[in-house]
Amino acid sequence: MSLSYVHPSPESPWGTYLMQVDRVIPYLGSLAKWAETLKRPKRSLIVDVPIELDNGNVAHYEGFRVQHSLTRGPGKGGVRYHPDVTLEEVMALAAWMTIKNAAVNLPYGGAKGGIRVDPKQLSLKELERITRRYTSEIGIIIGPHQDIPAPDVNTNAQVMAWMMDTYSMNVGATATGVVTGKPLHLGGSLGRVKATGRGVFVTGREAARRIGLNLDGARVAVQGLGNVGSSAAELFAQAGGKIVAVQDHTGTIANAQGLDLADLMPHVKASGGVAGFQAAEAIDNEAFWDVPCEILIPAALEGQIGAERARRIKARLVLEGANGPTTQAGDDTLADRGILVVPDVICNAGGVTVSYFEWVQDFSSFFWTEDEINLRLDKILVGALKNIWDTADRHKITLRTATFAVACERILTARQERGLYP
Ligand code: GLU
């Protein structure tokens, strides 16, 4: 029986996730008996987040923290601030964290949080108040050994510093391990800010090598120029790639000769987005999906690539920097057209992998160099992707279903070995 409290559509994040689980069940053997576990979040907390605005009024916001699975370890996953956040979306994002953490074999379950708010409408002080109140409200289920939040859409190291401070004040001791993605002076890790984008690059580089695509001269289109998209674009450009189109919430720009990121990034910082950038042509948002390119990186939000856009995409390789950018119908269309997708649950796992390094460093109070971080990250992702690729070849399935197969075998074996309580 499906859950009574959500009503997923085939295009919605939770609906997409449920179909992804259904696809993997035939490859789970006797573990399939436990598969229903994956379709039910272990624990979902909905909180009211009231804050006093700068003008003296009181505003209320909806806050969520979903712990999808705690089978393999504490909950782990980011917190996003966005006006479209819903319980159902956070459930899917938490579930994808469970799969992602298991796919790279991190000793975590999966969790995610969010506040339904447009942070661009808040002052810095209001942002701090909403963060602190939200942290206090979810304080009953997070902790360095329970559930460890991190940055996601519209949250950053400063937000993590406020979360760490609020939690620490409430428990009466500095608890650096309660969140990752913190500033360096508060137990943060070198390499964490760019880790997700670096992971997109590393998995993309490996995938490109396997399909005989040369990164030198490859045309790259990027949707979303936040933390993930900008870091990935930078690394592809360094490897000789040409960034031919970029889309963000302000518009879409294209330049067949390649955009110069050294000029574009200061423009984005100063003006808030790509719109108005001189050394490029402004194109229609929908035309982004028709841009001739070899590599397409959706690095924004969910549900961007449905069947219709999937029919138009020109790329050979789609690297999912975002979580859940492709619907099941979109995925099937891309597969039918022979376009290779490196799925979110391995492609963007670099962020949480370095979050894990941060957490380990906080507990041991011994910090690694940036080279050590980047080398270990590279090694873990290359190894995980090879395992996934072998699984895909063995069963003749997509990389997404193969990633789910590798991850679900780990999760459900642990589930079976732990057994049911009582
Ligand atoms: N928000 C990131 C993700 O979706 C990172 C989560 C983490 O570091 O815990 O993977």
Side-chain angles (χ1 to χ4, degrees):
M1 277 247 288
S2 53
L3 298 170
S4 64
Y5 54 89
V6 285
H7 305 283
S9 74
E11 284 78 37
S12 71
W14 184 247
T16 299
Y17 167 75
L18 291 178
M19 285 188 275
Q20 293 169 347
V21 173
D22 283 336
R23 292 285 171 103
V24 78
I25 288 176
Y27 306 98
L28 295 180
S30 61
L31 289 171
K33 156 182 175 190
W34 294 98
E36 183 68 17
T37 310
L38 300 164
K39 297 187 175 184
R40 290 161 185 268
K42 175 178 178 62
R43 185 181 289 145
S44 303
L45 181 63
I46 306 176
V47 295
D48 175 37
V49 188
I51 60 159
E52 187 170 314
L53 300 175
D54 293 345
N55 66 12
N57 290 341
V58 176
H60 290 257
Y61 300 91
E62 286 173 41
F64 306 93
R65 184 73 186 171
V66 174
Q67 295 172 344
H68 172 261
S69 171
L70 303 179
T71 300
R72 299 179 65 257
K76 184 88 195 82
V79 170
R80 71 169 55 178
Y81 292 174
H82 195 278
D84 297 335
V85 164
T86 61
L87 172 64
E88 195 195 308
E89 182 198 31
V90 178
M91 281 166 55
L93 294 165
W96 284 320
M97 288 310 304
T98 303
I99 304 295
K100 192 187 303 185
N101 292 333
V104 273
N105 218 356
L106 305 179
Y108 293 132
K112 201 84 169 200
I115 307 180
R116 191 173 172 85
V117 62
D118 182 359
K120 293 185 184 70
Q121 307 294 324
L122 299 183
S123 70
L124 195 65
K125 280 285 160 206
E126 290 166 339
L127 195 68
E128 178 172 351
R129 286 198 286 275
I130 201 171
T131 300
R132 289 186 181 279
R133 182 60 189 250
Y134 168 72
T135 307
S136 281
E137 293 295 340
I138 65 165
I140 53 174
I141 62 168
I142 63 168
H145 297 288
Q146 280 86 35
D147 180 4
I148 306 114
D152 197 76
V153 175
N154 292 330
T155 56
N156 56 21
Q158 177 60 74
V159 171
M160 293 307 116
W162 290 326
M163 289 189 79
M164 186 278 250
D165 181 69
T166 305
Y167 179 86
S168 297
M169 296 308 285
N170 286 345
V171 299
T174 294
T176 51
V178 67
V179 290
T180 57
K182 300 180 295 293
L184 283 180
H185 293 294
L186 294 177
S189 175
L190 291 165
R192 175 62 187 87
V193 174
K194 299 205 165 166
T196 313
R198 180 173 291 277
V200 173
F201 173 73
V202 168
T203 54
R205 181 194 69 204
E206 294 302 300
R209 186 177 54 76
R210 283 179 183 256
I211 63 169
L213 170 63
N214 193 350
L215 292 187
D216 195 13
R219 294 168 298 176
V220 183
V222 186
Q223 186 198 34
L225 218 47
N227 177 37
V228 180
S230 61
S231 312
E234 199 180 290
L235 288 166
F236 277 105
Q238 272 168 25
K242 271 200 296 189
I243 313 300
V244 290
V246 176
Q247 175 171 98
D248 71 5
H249 65 284
T250 66
T252 308
I253 56 170
N255 183 340
Q257 306 314 312
L259 293 151
D260 189 346
L261 294 173
D263 292 338
L264 176 60
M265 289 319 292
H267 168 86
V268 169
K269 272 213 174 70
S271 70
V274 298
F277 184 61
Q278 291 300 309
E281 183 195 347
I283 62 169
D284 187 64
N285 278 339
E286 205 44 46
F288 174 78
W289 306 99
D290 303 309
V291 167
C293 61
E294 280 73 42
I295 299 175
L296 174 69
I297 307 178
L301 295 170
E302 306 90 62
Q304 296 301 299
I305 305 177
E308 198 270 326
R309 285 177 181 168
R311 276 193 284 275
R312 287 158 40 205
I313 286 171
K314 305 280 185 299
R316 290 177 63 191
L317 192 54
V318 174
L319 305 177
E320 294 188 336
N323 292 307
T326 311
T327 68
Q328 189 60 59
D331 211 30
D332 289 342
T333 306
L334 291 174
D336 287 347
R337 294 186 56 216
I339 297 173
L340 184 67
V341 178
V342 182
D344 49 4
V345 279
I346 182 64
C347 189
N348 70 35
V352 72
T353 301
V354 176
S355 276
Y356 165 63
F357 296 163
E358 178 174 334
W359 187 71
V360 168
Q361 292 172 87
D362 287 341
F363 279 117
S364 59
S365 299
F366 178 78
F367 290 85
W368 313 347
T369 65
E370 190 158 3
D371 278 352
E372 277 173 304
I373 304 267
N374 290 344
L375 276 172
R376 286 183 200 223
L377 173 63
D378 207 291
K379 206 165 158 208
I380 286 180
L381 291 179
V382 169
L385 189 64
K386 181 181 182 311
N387 186 17
I388 289 163
W389 216 290
D390 291 347
T391 305
D393 285 347
R394 194 162 61 246
H395 295 299
K396 310 227 171 329
I397 51 181
T398 63
L399 289 182
R400 190 184 315 277
T401 302
T403 310
F404 269 68
V406 168
C408 292
E409 187 180 332
R410 288 183 180 142
I411 300 158
L412 298 181
T413 301
R415 185 79 193 78
Q416 179 161 277
E417 285 170 353
R418 286 183 66 156
L420 282 178
Y421 172 89

